[in-house]
Amino acid sequence: QSVLTQPPSASGTPGQRVTISCSGSSSNIGSNTVNWYQQLPGTAPKLLIYSNNQRPSGVPDRFSGSKSGTSASLAISGLQSEDEADYYCAAWDDSLWVFGGGTKLTVL
Amino acid sequence: EVQLVESGGGLVHPGRSLRLSCAASGFTFADCAMHWVRQAPGKGLEWVSGISWNSGSIGYADSVRGRFTISRDNAKNSLYLQMNSLRAEDTALYYCAKDMAIAVAGTIDYWGQGTLVTVSS
């Protein structure tokens, strides 16, 4: 069981906006920033959002992140078929990194 | 271009040892903390261990502490993971990952393609 809790699945149609939640506690999300990773099928994870809401160079502005208290969210607007992937949240927790269990996003 | 190339994976019997290596290029290796993250077949990501830029700070997941040892050689731009007393539950794809910062609590921003470790009799 993962320290950070994510819904196992999410879905949307092309053009739609979807959000993925990540719930933690005071020792991780509550006191540290949150990162989000995208893992396309058969590939290594890729950094999507860091420090709660910052996008690395090259990541489309369709992707956005937010944090409030001990929870965080990833929002994807203008959903595209190539967004179909697994998404993971991560946060520092005292002396180690913890990940969410992952959310499989399906584009219908 | 950042490149992280893992090697050393394979099939090993329970209780035996294995040493993973990661060759880094495309960035100043000595300026970055480094990590090992694993992913069991069909499962999610699990952070295994991290090491700061100068090896002064090291962290382990509870599941591997006392059995795995992380190390680095900045002169060779290389990261290592010595895995002892391997168990079936250590079976996973092991990713070498780079941090944005010098500290282990930075942000993992690049990942290698992984090396598969299978622990089975």
Side-chain angles (χ1 to χ4, degrees):
Chain A
Q1 192 160 354
S2 302
V3 174
L4 304 181
T5 301
Q6 298 179 234
S9 64
S11 63
T13 56
Q16 206 172 24
R17 182 178 187 271
V18 297
T19 61
I20 296 172
S21 63
C22 175
S23 177
S25 67
S26 58
S27 65
N28 42 66
I29 294 178
S31 48
N32 296 292
T33 60
V34 177
N35 304 323
W36 289 89
Y37 298 91
Q38 177 193 59
Q39 187 175 33
L40 297 170
T43 70
K46 168 191 167 185
L47 180 63
L48 203 60
I49 297 287
Y50 68 99
S51 295
N52 301 329
N53 55 19
Q54 301 300 301
R55 283 187 309 277
S57 174
V59 173
D61 58 7
R62 303 187 295 105
F63 295 91
S64 62
S66 63
K67 186 187 106 168
S68 178
T70 59
S71 294
S73 291
L74 172 70
I76 308 172
S77 59
L79 196 62
Q80 300 180 4
S81 58
E82 54 261 40
D83 298 334
E84 190 159 287
D86 293 325
Y87 293 84
Y88 295 91
C89 58
W92 182 251
D93 189 332
D94 188 20
S95 61
L96 70 159
W97 278 97
V98 291
F99 286 90
T103 298
K104 184 176 184 60
L105 175 63
T106 300
V107 180
L108 303 170
Chain B
E1 178 192 4
V2 172
Q3 286 202 10
L4 300 167
V5 180
E6 303 93 337
S7 61
L11 174 62
V12 61
H13 291 299
R16 303 300 292 267
S17 298
L18 209 57
R19 189 192 196 211
L20 306 183
S21 299
C22 172
S25 62
F27 65 101
T28 305
F29 183 76
D31 286 349
C32 300
M34 296 294 294
H35 306 264
W36 289 100
V37 180
R38 69 185 180 184
Q39 187 169 33
K43 303 296 184 182
L45 302 172
E46 180 189 17
W47 181 80
V48 173
S49 181
I51 185 169
S52 65
W53 66 290
N54 63 353
S55 304
S57 177
I58 288 174
Y60 296 99
D62 290 345
S63 57
V64 306
R65 186 176 292 112
R67 299 187 299 123
F68 290 12
T69 302
I70 191 172
S71 62
R72 64 188 296 162
D73 185 336
N74 287 347
K76 295 182 177 180
N77 289 349
S78 294
L79 177 72
Y80 307 100
L81 186 67
Q82 178 66 43
M83 305 186 295
N84 299 332
S85 304
L86 283 162
R87 306 167 180 168
E89 52 265 36
D90 295 319
T91 294
L93 186 63
Y94 283 73
Y95 292 105
C96 167
K98 168 192 169 295
D99 203 295
M100 284 181 172
I102 61 173
V104 177
T107 293
I108 296 172
D109 61 348
Y110 284 97
W111 306 61
Q113 290 305 304
T115 186
L116 183 62
V117 173
T118 303
V119 184
S120 174
S121 53

